Amino acid sequence: MDIPKQYDPKQAEQNHYERWEKQGFFATEINRDPKAPVFSIVIPPPNVTGSLHMGHALQHTMMDVLTRYKRMCGHRTLWLPGMDHAGISTQLMVTRELKKEKLTRHDLGREMFIERVWTWKKESGGQITRQMRREGASVDWSREKFTMDEDLSRAVREVFVRLYEEGLIYRGNRIVNWCPNDQTVLSDLEVQKDPQAGKLYYLQYPVKGSDKHVTVATTRPETMLGDTAVAVNPADERYRDLLGATLVLPLSDREIPVVADEFVDPEFGTGAVKVTPAHDPNDYDMGVRHNLEQIAVIDTHAKMTEAAGADFAGLDRYQARTKVVEKFEELGLLEKVVDYEFSISKCERCKTVIEPLISTQWFLQMDKLRDLALDLMAREKKPRFVPAVPHEKVYTNWLENLRDWTISRQLWWGHQIPAWYTPDGQVIVARSEDEARQKAGTHELTQDPDVLDTWFSSALWPFSTLGWPEKTEDLKTFYPTSVLVTARDIIFLWVSRMVMMGLKFMGDRPFDDVFVTGTILDPHGQRMSKTKGNGVDPLEVFDKYGVDATRLKLASVGSTDVRWNDKQVESYRNFANKIWNAARFCLLNSEGATIKPETVSSGGSDLALHDRWILSRLNKTARDVREALADYEFHEAVQTLYHFFWDDFCDWYIELTKAEVTAEEATPKRDEARTRLITVLEQALRLLHPFMPYITEDLWLRLPGAHEKLLHQAYDGAQPTIMLAAYPEANSQLIDDEVEWQMQAVIDLISRVRNIRSEMNIKPGERVSILIGAPDEKLRSVLSANTNQISRLARASEVSIGETLEAPRASARAVLVGGAEVAVPLEGLIDFDQERQRLRKEKEKLQNEATKLEGQLANSQFAERAPAEKVAELRARISDIAQRTAQFDQTIANLE
RNA sequence: GCCCGCUUGGCUCAGUGGUAGAGCACUCGCUUCACACGCGAGGGGUCAGAAGUUCGAAUCUUCUAGCGGGCACCA
């Protein structure tokens, strides 16, 4: 057998995915057990324009770990993949392409443009699905969905019509967030507030029929052209006289009233606020309260309208600002300008400053839907957020303050709103144009040109992808899904809306749990972003360290924010190599061996200590990993596996069993040892598989044995793959603390001797004698039974054990559990002073601890109030330390 | 402004009422028949600061400081 010394991840990554996919291992139908429990996850659909970034890799790793784990446990698992049509992003992408051909989308017309988008999607979209294959994601590709698929579009229309018929969707003329660059309205969640260093302009408005004036402060002087009032707080003494007065609006021939409104904060600015109902959300509300005129002075391109007056019409809003300020200055009405920092609303996508405008749009009334979600949280604490803090509270607070959702967008790419207009202006909402014609009784219909917010279709994702509104088998089987794995930043945009829509249309939650992943920051603690260019490309990391190593790093991120560091991936790359070489050793010594699960499923006192010990460790590991995964403690699971494999299996078990396994002569005993070793390895590979799919599959297939018999019974008849092998159960019968204690005593002894060798500079090849004095009989018998192991691993020529220690004065010594003592005779190598000093230092450490513990025990309160168990534990510890210090004293005395 | 999180060895992070942990880095020694992406042995932390609760606090409470995040209509 020829196995390279170094693991080559690329080779394993190329060899298995295609076969897994072709064999249908990812598909839910692979499970033949009709009674199998169900586990399902829908993927947060990445944008069709997107390519894989670290955030995806992170989420996908967690989802794949869970899916592979549950699949190995025999669950009927579905991890459903798909993509989002990503309205604006995709439209922009194709628009940019057209621009290269010196075309605009208007040159093509709507129909041609949409065709063009589909062509683009077919040719260059969905890069991410190819990259997911590299990740090893075990998604069911036969169920892949796209939010613009016909069946999903049908679900969108169905939902729209039902909500409209219930009066929850309505069309209205209201103030909205408008992006002058993207030429569409945006929801509140797509607007980001950025701090901005700006100016606060103090403008004076003359009072009609008087030489007085009122000063208002504003950050946006250009909007004064659309002012229709000035508001003051009704309780503000300073302006009491002015209430009801009329002001002359400069640069315009209009007169505007002074109104009283509680909204105005007398403390801020001058206490008088200019009111521009058409261009500010607060002013809009005030305008509604006071029945003020709404004068739009800025248009959808952020240019001033005719209504702004001849001097300003056609100017850009910022040019207009300058001009307004100049004119006020000329008129002597500019009181002052002060520096002022405020927050400005920007389009999250293109960073253009949002223009609040009054516009006719479609809205979804949220209060009833919101209550469904809030009730679920209040009654059942669902969905269960992991971690609960802070997400549960943030989610709840957000719902409590939820406002109506602007769902229409002025785009071409997306689900066109299923609303039609008759020539006389009647609105017909229907599932199809045919239905609309029937309802309207005419064929002369025009469909609303707008499309729906991308997040509207995403909100339906957990049930639309499973066939809703049809009552499909999939929907029945997989809804509600088990868990949603997602990043923090779309809890409002997506998670909350899925909960509301799921409750509304399925009458049930879309998922039980929401696992919120942490964020991967750059090495300086900054968020990774395209614009900053500080992102780390997961594909490059895959190339450099391998997919499995990267996955292990990502899984151990869990739900905290961490700075990216290649070193950590490197150490997992080393771990993969360690696994490879451990397997290499097993395979090089596998003649006569075959995987036999029964050799690890039962113990037996006839087994050697190290064999019973590794079974105990193996089962404890299975137990701990299962518990960790049940609570989404990925980091814990990874650490447990890492230390089991490296420390327990490689550092100790392989070394302890090596003598038997590498024996020259082929004997039944050797075969048994080899079989046991390879079977433990096989179990370890299974435990690791959800995290490291490639290396585990690659090695597993090389192990000698009847692989098809190792599959979980739910997968009877499937081709052999570790993916479908049963995840190891924790057999509590085999978890044996007594055995672990005994093995630990042997390990401690070996470590103490190695320490002496190292401290005394004994050459690695040189054999020493080990003399042990152990008053405790049990310890003596444990050590006696393992003298071969001890002499091999501590490189000793002889090991002698007695009740008391009889060693030459010129020995290096160490003290063990229960006051046992070990000595290594080193004639001529011992500097007695130095040795005494070394021992005193050791003793001192113990004494420090003893002082602390005795102080605690001396406290009468402790004995009274602490649990008896803790007190006993402390006493035992003190007595062990006492035994050991006594031994130290004697040891030191012997050296005098 | 309101809410929340973080602060543990040089670095990146676990732990979360009862003896301070890992990986990397560091020191020393090793071509020991799976692995130098390795083996063996070490050094290094009064767990941000203060007060409190408790028999006992890195862990719970309060305050302070620094860093980070979310929400909010302050012109």
Side-chain angles (χ1 to χ4, degrees), chain A residues 201 203 205 218 220-225 250-251 274 304 308 312 315 317-331 333-334:
Chain A
Y201 302 87
L203 308 179
Y205 291 0
T218 181
R220 299 197 59 195
E222 70 280 12
T223 62
M224 62 75 52
L225 297 164
L251 317 185
K274 61 187 276 308
M304 306 310 284
F312 298 96
L315 287 185
R317 54 187 165 175
Y318 299 113
Q319 293 172 329
R321 177 176 303 175
T322 314
K323 194 158 179 185
V324 164
V325 174
E326 275 169 20
K327 295 235 173 185
F328 265 79
E329 198 156 21
E330 281 167 26
L331 293 169
L333 295 174
L334 182 65

Side-chain angles (χ1 to χ4, degrees), chain A residues 280-538:
Chain A
D280 181 282
N282 298 312
D283 294 7
Y284 175 84
D285 291 341
M286 272 199 275
V288 170
R289 284 197 288 275
H290 299 281
N291 206 14
L292 301 173
E293 200 187 342
Q294 302 164 341
I295 302 177
V297 292
I298 302 172
D299 69 12
T300 54
H301 293 92
K303 291 205 158 59
M304 306 310 284
T305 64
E306 297 293 334
D311 285 349
F312 298 96
L315 287 185
D316 169 82
R317 54 187 165 175
Y318 299 113
Q319 293 172 329
R321 177 176 303 175
T322 314
K323 194 158 179 185
V324 164
V325 174
E326 275 169 20
K327 295 235 173 185
F328 265 79
E329 198 156 21
E330 281 167 26
L331 293 169
L333 295 174
L334 182 65
E335 193 170 297
K336 60 176 174 180
V337 181
V338 299
D339 287 335
Y340 183 63
E341 182 161 324
F342 60 104
S343 64
I344 196 159
S345 297
K346 290 184 179 168
C347 171
E348 202 178 42
R349 210 163 295 94
C350 70
K351 313 296 176 199
T352 304
V353 174
I354 291 297
E355 190 54 52
L357 289 180
I358 293 176
S359 167
T360 300
Q361 300 291 343
W362 291 87
F363 298 92
L364 175 55
Q365 192 191 313
M366 298 306 288
D367 47 0
K368 290 200 182 101
L369 294 169
R370 171 264 310 278
D371 287 346
L372 292 176
L374 284 174
D375 281 354
L376 182 72
M377 182 53 85
R379 272 196 340 263
E380 298 177 36
K381 281 257 180 194
K382 290 233 166 126
R384 172 187 159 222
F385 282 93
V386 181
V389 180
H391 305 297
E392 188 181 305
K393 196 170 160 191
V394 172
Y395 164 86
T396 309
N397 287 349
W398 183 78
L399 282 175
E400 282 164 352
N401 300 310
L402 192 51
R403 303 197 300 174
D404 287 0
W405 175 11
T406 314
I407 52 174
S408 45
R409 294 290 180 275
Q410 287 63 55
L411 302 172
W412 284 355
W413 176 242
H415 299 99
Q416 196 169 352
I417 290 179
W420 286 263
Y421 304 101
T422 60
D424 57 352
Q426 223 189 313
V427 182
I428 312 287
V429 168
R431 288 163 185 82
S432 67
E433 185 148 8
D434 279 350
E435 192 186 309
R437 282 174 181 155
Q438 270 176 14
K439 280 188 179 176
T442 171
H443 277 182
E444 286 179 64
L445 294 176
T446 329
Q447 188 173 0
D448 193 300
D450 289 355
V451 301
L452 287 164
D453 182 357
T454 295
W455 295 103
F456 190 89
S457 53
S458 315
L460 319 181
W461 186 251
F463 54 90
S464 65
T465 51
L466 295 172
W468 190 91
E470 300 300 323
K471 294 191 169 95
T472 60
E473 250 336 275
D474 272 6
L475 192 62
K476 218 167 79 192
T477 309
F478 298 111
Y479 191 97
T481 64
S482 311
V483 56
L484 183 82
V485 178
T486 187
R488 245 194 310 275
D489 48 0
I490 53 175
I491 291 178
F492 304 151
L493 273 170
W494 190 48
V495 178
S496 68
R497 287 163 175 174
M498 282 190 286
V499 174
M500 292 186 271
M501 291 300 202
L503 289 168
K504 176 73 186 168
F505 291 96
M506 291 296 297
D508 202 353
R509 72 223 121 91
F511 27 74
D512 290 311
D513 301 345
V514 176
F515 180 75
V516 184
T517 68
T519 309
I520 300 187
L521 308 168
D522 77 1
H524 309 288
Q526 300 285 310
R527 278 186 102 82
M528 290 185 181
S529 77
K530 263 189 208 156
T531 40
K532 278 188 217 150
N534 62 345
V536 176
D537 182 355

